[in-house]
């Protein structure tokens, strides 16, 4: 369908790549490099066909990733694990901790060795910080934030290890931490 002279259209295209490849193979892997080379070639070809169309293209990402060098396994041998009501979630580099009320002091002691790898904040500290932006908080957020959160500031991540679980796969790269590689994303604008 042809657009009238004054009509504008917004077209959004999402791809799970390179994100999926970076998780699996690592940010600087040959697989990611090969994908990005093919993507750049296809993009250049597409853009050459859209010249003089009075179009704007915006290319960005929803987050960056970082290669994880160290996993902190949360299992029965880990002192953090004994203090928890349920496993940590939602992300390996942004963990919400629901701590047993009678084990708060033990939990606080158990996270001390990880202070160089994670920023730990009490629930209220996190909710009142600028980390969520200056927005009205979603009413269901309350269900997902435990007594504490741990946000990665290094190349570490948490991993729940469940007894008798099938497969203990560890991704090479993750997101949701506070490193520049995860928080700074490209924003490319091309006008024709």
């Amino acid at each position: 369908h042809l657009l009238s002279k004054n009509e504008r259209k917004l077209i959004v295209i999402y791809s799970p790549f390179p994100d999926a490849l970076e998780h699996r193979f690592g940010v600087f892997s040959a697989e990611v490099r090969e994908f990005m080379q093919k993507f750049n070639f296809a993009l250049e070809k597409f853009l050459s066909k859209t010249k003089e169309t009075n179009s704007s293209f915006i290319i960005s990402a929803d987050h960056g990733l970082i290669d994880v060098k160290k996993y902190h396994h949360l299992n029965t041998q880990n002192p953090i694990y004994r203090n928890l009501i349920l496993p940590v979630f939602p992300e390996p580099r942004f963990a919400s901790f629901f701590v047993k009320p009678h084990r708060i002091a033990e939990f606080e002691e158990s996270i001390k060795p990880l202070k160089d790898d994670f920023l730990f904040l009490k629930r209220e500290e996190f909710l009142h910080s600028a980390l969520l932006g200056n927005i009205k908080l979603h009413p269901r957020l309350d269900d997902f934030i435990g007594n504490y959160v741990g946000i990665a500031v290094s190349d570490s991540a948490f991993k729940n290890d469940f007894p008798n679980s099938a497969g203990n796969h560890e991704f090479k790269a993750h997101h949701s931490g506070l490193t520049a590689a995860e928080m700074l994303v490209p924003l490319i604008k091309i006008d024709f």
Side-chain angles (χ1 to χ4, degrees):
H1 145 286
L2 295 174
L3 298 175
S4 69
K5 189 173 184 179
N6 296 323
E7 195 175 9
R8 307 278 296 171
K9 200 177 251 190
L10 173 66
I11 300 170
V12 177
I13 301 171
Y14 170 79
S15 172
F17 300 103
D19 179 87
L21 292 172
E22 290 174 317
H23 277 302
R24 185 171 176 196
F25 298 108
V27 174
F28 301 105
S29 65
E31 292 84 356
V32 171
R33 188 171 30 263
E34 181 181 336
F35 170 80
M36 291 307 300
Q37 289 169 343
K38 287 179 181 178
F39 174 83
N40 286 339
F41 177 76
L43 179 63
E44 286 176 14
K45 190 174 176 183
F46 173 77
L47 291 174
S48 70
K49 293 181 179 183
T50 59
K51 287 188 176 176
E52 300 178 31
T53 60
N54 193 26
S55 299
S56 293
F57 298 90
I58 298 173
I59 303 167
S60 191
D62 54 345
H63 56 72
L65 286 95
I66 185 173
D67 286 345
V68 172
K69 304 290 187 217
K70 183 175 184 183
Y71 277 94
H72 297 278
H73 294 265
L74 298 177
N75 53 35
T76 55
Q77 285 77 46
N78 188 302
I80 295 172
Y81 181 88
R82 293 189 289 271
N83 302 305
L84 302 179
I85 294 170
L86 51 98
V88 299
F89 69 93
E91 292 282 344
R93 292 180 53 74
F94 177 90
S96 183
F97 297 92
F98 287 82
V99 181
K100 297 172 184 175
H102 64 284
R103 305 278 311 205
I104 296 288
E106 289 88 343
F107 173 79
E108 289 177 349
E109 195 62 33
S110 71
I111 61 175
K112 282 182 180 177
L114 304 179
K115 296 278 184 175
D116 290 338
D117 291 335
F118 297 90
L119 170 65
F120 290 99
L121 297 171
K122 292 181 180 179
R123 174 190 177 79
E124 292 307 314
E125 289 175 310
F126 173 68
L127 293 175
H128 291 98
S129 73
L131 291 171
L132 295 173
N134 189 17
I135 59 170
K136 182 179 178 187
L137 300 179
H138 191 282
R140 294 299 307 267
L141 182 67
D142 193 51
D143 296 341
F144 296 94
I145 304 301
N147 314 70
Y148 294 82
V149 296
I151 311 169
V153 294
S154 70
D155 55 4
S156 291
F158 287 109
K159 182 172 188 317
N160 291 310
D161 286 335
F162 302 112
N164 303 320
S165 64
N168 270 330
H169 177 73
E170 292 177 351
F171 281 137
K172 297 264 193 269
H174 280 287
H175 46 74
S176 301
L178 292 175
T179 66
E182 296 161 280
M183 296 177 64
L184 299 175
V185 297
L187 178 62
I188 302 164
K189 185 171 186 268
I190 303 165
D191 293 313
F192 289 122

